[in-house]
Amino acid sequence: MHFNRSALSSLPFFPSLLCSPPFFPSMSYVPHTILRPFGVKPFAGGGYLRRHARPCVRRASSVGATNGNELGGGNKRRRKRPAEESRLEVLYDDGFGSVTVKDYREAVRAMPRDDGGPPRWFCPVECGRPEVDRAPLLLFLSGIEGVGMELILHHKSLGKVFEVCCFHIPVNDRTPFEGLLQIVEEYVKHENALSPSRPIYIIGDSFGGCLAISVAVCNPEIDLVLTLVNPATSSAKASLQAVLPLLEAVAANLPFIHPHLLKYSMGNPLNMAMVSLENSLSPQETLQEFSNKLTSMLPLVSELGDIIQMGTLVWKLKLLKSGANYANSQLHMVQAEVLLLASGIENLPPSGEADRLVKSLKNCKVRYFRNRGDRLLMEDGFNLLTVIKGVKMYRRGRQWDCVNDFLSPTLSEFNRTFGEDFKLFHQLLSPAMLSTTQNGKIVHGLDGVPDKGPVLFVGYHQLLAMEWAALIEGFLREKKTVIRTGAHQVFFAGNYETLRQELSLFDFVSMYGAVPVSPINTYKLFERNEFVLLYPGGVREALHRKGETYKLFWPDQTEFVRMAARFGVTVIPFGCVGEDDFLEIVVDYNDQKNIPYIRDEIKSFNRDFTRLRDTVKGEDGNQVLHLPVVLPKLPGRLYFLFGRPIEMEGMDNVLTDRKKANQVYFQIELEVENAMSYLKRKRNEDPYRSIARRALYQATWGPSAQVPTFEP
């Protein structure tokens, strides 16, 4: 297949999208990449694309909301109900951790070093086709090296929920910053014209961050979501810029290898060599594997010496300086949603750059990674998709939809959260779960819980809501099901996060399915046949006072009962005991409100939130957010009992008869109280209630062994 280059140059976006050999026109074999000329979709088969159609064919939009038509057809698409949309399986394998720096080295070797062509777009083969409907487009702008494969550790995970497209700048290309900006801007406008209702994500790494900021400034009307990874906005002040006049006097064809430059180009070798090391290996095997990975990176160092010559270095430094100056002059004009990822080791040198950017950008969230280097995307354990999900910035429309934009937790996220972050918490509490079958029999595990939704779990909120993590983990392990929790709006406000944090509690709550508690969100979850968790006692129960252990604070509001009847939901009351037995409240709200300074702080903090129970009088409506002072006791054990399922299917009289609705409401409340009474009584029969005996059992049978409990 051959094309007349002069004829093609008259087509739209030719400078940015026409590709030179070996990518085009023959589409020859190129490992790890496929060209995306004029918006061609990624190849789903994982192989290498050979296209024999015209290169200027309009790409089919994955949104479908633009005109509702299939490509080339005139029939209207039938709009899917939310419950019918394609969804990723719970704990699906996102492939994160399966790619190493060795794969990056091979990909860099396969990329053309100097083919005489212009900068271009390509789609990594590893990304495949997105597995969610209406997947947004993600554009990756790499650092000053311009290879475009620096996102390779994240290709598989991102490719399942984004259409991924990367920007490649040939090594010897001399396109100035303004020219690169025009190329990216034209492509953004092209994609936005195809699908104006979906957002376009731009991941800008280092120099790419300056480019991303500039694109956002030039296109305020386009819905852009920026992720800036250690953006090089301070590069004009970097040490290499100071010696630029000296470097210009050196021969242009002299190879240049300098430790600082290598670190800047390929990251911290130690952290990169740790990628995908298995936790199950012995110390000796881990050391050997680490040594092998570090050794495998040495050829890349020599290859970079061949690629990076003095003339190229000088040009790149000039390009960095112009990009940083342009971006810095426009920071205050950025209207796009921004996520800033800052490394703690360097703190975006010079020190304080992250703080400056946060203050300059209007709509910016930040995550700060204390123990990581400049090349964050190439380091072990950093999952970009997890961060995007945690900060609630993954969306497929103009506004974030907490229900329909939720992505199920992946296997790697689950292993990281509950195999590392919450491992000690699980071992200390050793949760024991029991459930009740339809015939009233209490059994170990969750066999009494239905396998399919919609299901509504209604229960008691433990002190500080610490039971929630154990509940989520238990259902993910045994039922492979995410429980969507109605949570307080403080977890979604975003105004109470601090700069110096990585993934916070706010991120964890969002990642595992929590939504702002509201009738409309509950309605949408039932419509999607989800498992829903509701605490009628809310904040008042989770932050109860001294002497209020296991006391319910349920308001006289039966709305959730009527909504459950409307959808034929299965309601499961449950009780939970244990935490109040090893946490003692020292200073509660009654004490704090008598201290003037603390009282004013609590009042100021709660002023920004809508009161959820303004119409509820008395203590049941006293939903004041505060932080009680507690002291730990000797860790006890956490017990759950899920009561007999209450089938709401066919209870149409509950919808219109308030008396019937109240009867069901009080029945659920009574079942919760009975479950807690049962657990408090039966836990005395548990031979492993003591933490010492549980520790001995796990030392004998392994830390992953399920510790037995009493017989029901």
Side-chain angles (χ1 to χ4, degrees):
M1 180 174 67
H2 298 282
F3 295 92
N4 187 313
R5 185 176 293 271
S6 62
L8 284 174
S9 64
S10 63
L11 295 175
F13 317 116
F14 171 77
S16 60
L17 297 178
L18 180 63
C19 303
S20 54
F23 295 110
F24 195 87
S26 62
M27 289 293 187
S28 60
Y29 177 89
V30 182
H32 299 288
T33 63
I34 3 178
L35 178 67
R36 187 190 180 106
F38 302 93
V40 175
K41 274 191 174 182
F43 182 50
Y48 306 99
L49 179 64
R50 289 185 180 273
R51 189 172 180 84
H52 299 288
R54 294 174 59 194
C56 198
V57 175
R58 178 180 173 91
R59 182 179 59 83
S61 170
S62 65
V63 177
T66 308
N67 54 22
N69 297 334
E70 297 283 357
L71 184 66
N75 296 327
K76 296 281 187 180
R77 286 185 180 178
R78 181 177 67 86
R79 180 174 174 81
K80 293 182 179 181
R81 287 171 53 86
E84 297 173 345
E85 291 182 354
S86 62
R87 301 190 220 173
L88 293 166
E89 294 182 358
V90 177
L91 301 185
Y92 69 93
D93 184 6
D94 61 353
F96 181 75
S98 61
V99 179
T100 67
V101 178
K102 181 180 180 181
D103 298 294
Y104 172 68
R105 175 167 58 85
E106 293 175 353
V108 171
R109 184 185 293 116
M111 300 291 283
R113 298 184 181 181
D114 183 17
D115 55 19
R120 71 211 61 179
W121 296 97
F122 68 90
C123 293
V125 171
E126 298 92 340
C127 293
R129 186 182 296 276
E131 297 185 17
V132 297
D133 292 336
R134 304 175 291 113
L137 175 67
L138 185 148
L139 305 179
F140 175 63
L141 308 177
S142 68
I144 198 63
E145 65 278 7
V147 177
M149 291 299 292
E150 292 75 18
L151 202 63
I152 189 170
L153 271 63
H154 309 268
H155 282 167
K156 292 182 179 180
S157 59
L158 292 175
K160 291 183 181 296
V161 296
F162 289 103
E163 289 186 13
V164 181
C165 190
C166 304
F167 193 46
H168 171 69
I169 305 174
V171 174
N172 294 320
D173 179 76
R174 293 297 183 265
T175 304
F177 181 79
E178 291 76 10
L180 297 175
L181 175 59
Q182 181 182 0
I183 293 173
V184 178
E185 185 182 3
E186 286 178 346
Y187 190 49
V188 167
K189 290 180 178 179
H190 173 68
E191 288 291 339
N192 183 67
L194 289 177
S195 306
S197 62
R198 72 168 175 171
I200 297 178
Y201 285 71
I202 302 181
I203 310 294
D205 182 19
S206 186
F207 170 74
C210 299
L211 201 53
I213 291 171
S214 304
V215 172
V217 170
C218 297
N219 299 274
E221 73 285 354
I222 297 179
D223 186 12
L224 298 177
V225 183
L226 308 184
T227 298
L228 309 178
V229 185
N230 290 331
T233 48
S234 65
S235 61
K237 305 175 183 178
S239 58
L240 282 177
Q241 293 288 348
V243 298
L244 182 57
L246 297 177
L247 296 178
E248 290 178 319
V250 182
N253 61 351
L254 182 67
F256 185 86
I257 298 180
H258 186 276
H260 179 77
L261 178 64
L262 290 178
K263 180 182 177 182
Y264 185 78
S265 300
M266 55 180 291
N268 188 328
L270 297 180
N271 288 342
M272 295 171 67
M274 293 176 64
V275 173
S276 75
L277 286 179
E278 297 183 15
N279 295 329
S280 59
L281 298 178
S282 66
Q284 294 82 0
E285 293 172 330
T286 300
L287 182 61
Q288 181 63 42
E289 182 70 11
F290 174 76
S291 176
N292 294 339
K293 289 182 180 293
L294 191 60
T295 303
S296 70
M297 295 175 61
L298 295 179
L300 180 58
V301 175
S302 61
E303 290 171 12
L304 285 174
D306 295 335
I307 296 173
I308 303 174
Q309 297 182 344
M310 193 59 63
T312 301
L313 173 65
V314 171
W315 170 256
K316 298 291 188 182
L317 290 177
K318 290 181 178 179
L319 194 62
L320 263 177
K321 185 175 182 179
S322 60
N325 290 337
Y326 190 98
N328 283 319
S329 66
Q330 309 287 333
L331 281 176
H332 63 284
M333 299 176 60
V334 175
Q335 302 294 327
E337 191 177 1
V338 179
L339 170 61
L340 174 63
L341 306 181
S343 294
I345 293 179
E346 301 294 341
N347 186 21
L348 292 173
S351 180
E353 181 68 5
D355 304 78
R356 183 184 74 87
L357 290 174
V358 171
K359 294 176 182 177
S360 301
L361 296 168
K362 298 177 182 178
N363 185 14
C364 180
K365 295 182 179 180
V366 63
R367 288 296 178 267
Y368 188 86
F369 299 87
R370 296 176 178 81
N371 300 316
R372 298 189 180 276
D374 292 334
R375 302 313 304 271
L376 192 58
L377 297 174
M378 299 288 291
E379 293 197 4
D380 170 59
F382 174 77
N383 190 329
L384 179 59
L385 179 59
T386 299
V387 177
I388 293 175
K389 290 162 59 176
V391 297
K392 299 169 283 293
M393 287 181 65
Y394 180 83
R395 54 186 172 88
R396 292 174 284 176
R398 286 285 180 181
Q399 300 293 331
W400 176 63
D401 187 328
C402 61
V403 174
N404 295 316
D405 285 334
F406 172 70
L407 298 175
S408 300
T410 69
L411 184 60
S412 64
E413 290 170 345
F414 177 82
N415 291 336
R416 173 67 182 270
T417 301
F418 298 106
E420 299 179 25
D421 298 341
F422 282 81
K423 183 178 181 180
L424 180 60
F425 175 82
H426 180 87
Q427 291 177 343
L428 288 176
L429 301 188
S430 188
M433 293 191 174
L434 301 95
S435 59
T436 309
T437 62
Q438 196 64 52
N439 61 9
K441 181 181 179 181
I442 299 177
V443 296
H444 290 290
L446 301 175
D447 290 341
V449 176
D451 294 323
K452 296 182 179 180
V455 176
L456 176 64
F457 298 90
V458 185
Y460 168 73
H461 228 350
Q462 285 278 337
L463 180 63
L464 300 180
M466 290 176 60
E467 85 287 349
W468 181 75
L471 186 63
I472 296 298
E473 179 184 8
F475 271 81
L476 283 172
R477 286 190 184 278
E478 187 168 341
K479 304 292 283 189
K480 298 296 186 292
T481 300
V482 177
I483 297 184
R484 308 298 302 276
T485 310
H488 193 278
Q489 55 187 309
V490 68
F491 290 102
F492 307 93
N495 299 325
Y496 303 100
E497 301 176 353
T498 60
L499 172 63
R500 306 303 180 196
Q501 64 179 350
E502 295 188 16
L503 292 182
S504 68
L505 175 63
F506 293 76
D507 301 335
F508 172 76
V509 168
S510 298
M511 283 171 50
Y512 287 90
V515 301
V517 57
S518 71
I520 186 61
N521 285 338
T522 304
Y523 182 97
K524 291 162 69 174
L525 290 170
F526 286 159
E527 190 179 37
R528 291 171 59 91
N529 298 326
E530 301 273 13
F531 280 40
V532 183
L533 177 60
L534 177 66
Y535 293 107
V539 172
R540 183 61 183 86
E541 274 182 5
L543 301 177
H544 58 251
R545 325 295 190 234
K546 298 175 184 176
E548 294 178 348
T549 304
Y550 302 123
K551 180 180 178 181
L552 270 59
F553 290 90
W554 288 22
D556 187 13
Q557 294 179 336
T558 60
E559 284 78 5
F560 78 84
V561 174
R562 288 195 287 269
M563 192 178 296
R566 163 70 175 79
F567 285 92
V569 173
T570 301
V571 178
I572 299 183
F574 74 93
C576 176
V577 302
E579 290 184 22
D580 283 335
D581 300 307
F582 56 82
L583 285 178
E584 180 179 358
I585 301 176
V586 179
V587 180
D588 64 8
Y589 175 68
N590 293 329
D591 299 322
Q592 294 176 355
K593 69 181 181 180
N594 293 325
I595 304 174
Y597 173 76
I598 298 179
R599 180 181 64 240
D600 293 341
E601 287 294 319
I602 293 175
K603 185 177 180 180
S604 175
F605 182 81
N606 283 267
R607 188 179 296 121
D608 295 335
F609 300 110
T610 303
R611 294 291 297 271
L612 300 177
R613 297 182 178 178
D614 283 340
T615 60
V616 179
K617 298 181 180 180
E619 281 300 311
D620 292 345
N622 188 8
Q623 301 278 304
V624 180
L625 283 175
H626 66 285
L627 189 62
V629 179
V630 298
L631 290 178
K633 298 181 181 179
L634 189 65
R637 192 173 189 183
L638 197 58
Y639 301 89
F640 291 91
L641 174 60
F642 297 91
R644 180 186 299 183
I646 301 174
E647 300 289 347
M648 301 297 292
E649 184 74 36
M651 290 190 180
D652 297 335
N653 56 347
V654 172
L655 298 174
T656 56
D657 191 335
R658 183 174 180 83
K659 183 177 179 180
K660 292 289 186 182
N662 285 332
Q663 289 177 353
V664 177
Y665 181 87
F666 291 128
Q667 177 189 355
I668 296 173
E669 185 177 17
L670 180 61
E671 289 290 339
V672 173
E673 291 176 334
N674 290 339
M676 289 192 294
S677 298
Y678 174 87
L679 291 174
K680 285 190 288 185
R681 183 178 70 254
K682 293 291 290 184
R683 67 181 177 179
N684 294 324
E685 304 174 12
D686 185 2
Y688 295 98
R689 184 180 177 184
S690 165
I691 186 174
R693 297 203 62 180
R694 294 201 305 273
L696 180 61
Y697 183 91
Q698 291 183 325
T700 304
W701 299 98
S704 60
Q706 177 62 41
V707 180
T709 185
F710 59 81
E711 286 299 320

